[in-house]
Amino acid sequence: MKLSRMQIRRLVESILNEDEEPAKKDMGKVTTYIVKSGETLSSIHKDRGAPSATLKDQIELNKEDNSKFNPDKLSIDQKIKLHTDSAVPAGAIGP
């Protein structure tokens, strides 16, 4: 079976359009976490973050609500959002 150029073009366009919006990976639930003394975003993510979420995912989650969020300048009692596993991590204050 031979395909015309127009048929090939439509086929290619339909394949490309399917991949326009990549599927989002499941990064667990989102909870609010209260920062404790000596913690960094990296340490919090390592101890309590969802395995499928990257540190970059955690930063982007917080920048959605606060464009001035600075992961290098967390303060004690600061509330941050955190992708977590289904279990609620210690220090979390709910969804």
Side-chain angles (χ1 to χ4, degrees):
M1 178 174 142
K2 256 185 159 174
L3 296 175
S4 69
R5 286 184 183 197
M6 183 60 81
Q7 290 172 318
I8 293 171
R9 180 183 293 173
R10 286 182 186 154
L11 180 61
V12 169
E13 286 175 358
S14 70
I15 292 170
L16 292 175
N17 289 337
E18 287 177 3
D19 294 336
E20 277 184 2
E21 193 172 314
K24 291 185 178 181
K25 57 184 176 180
D26 182 18
M27 291 184 273
K29 294 183 178 185
V30 174
T31 61
T32 303
Y33 181 81
I34 300 174
V35 179
K36 296 176 187 63
S37 177
E39 290 184 315
T40 63
L41 186 60
S42 180
S43 69
I44 295 167
H45 169 69
K46 182 179 177 186
D47 294 341
R48 297 172 178 85
S52 58
T54 64
L55 192 54
K56 182 179 176 184
D57 294 327
Q58 305 289 20
I59 293 169
E60 289 175 6
L61 176 65
N62 284 282
K63 285 196 173 189
E64 287 175 6
D65 287 343
N66 179 3
S67 61
K68 295 181 181 181
F69 175 77
N70 185 342
D72 297 324
K73 294 186 179 182
L74 298 183
S75 56
I76 297 171
D77 294 330
Q78 179 179 352
K79 293 178 184 176
I80 61 171
K81 288 191 174 184
L82 192 63
H83 291 287
T84 64
D85 287 329
S86 55
V88 177
I93 59 172

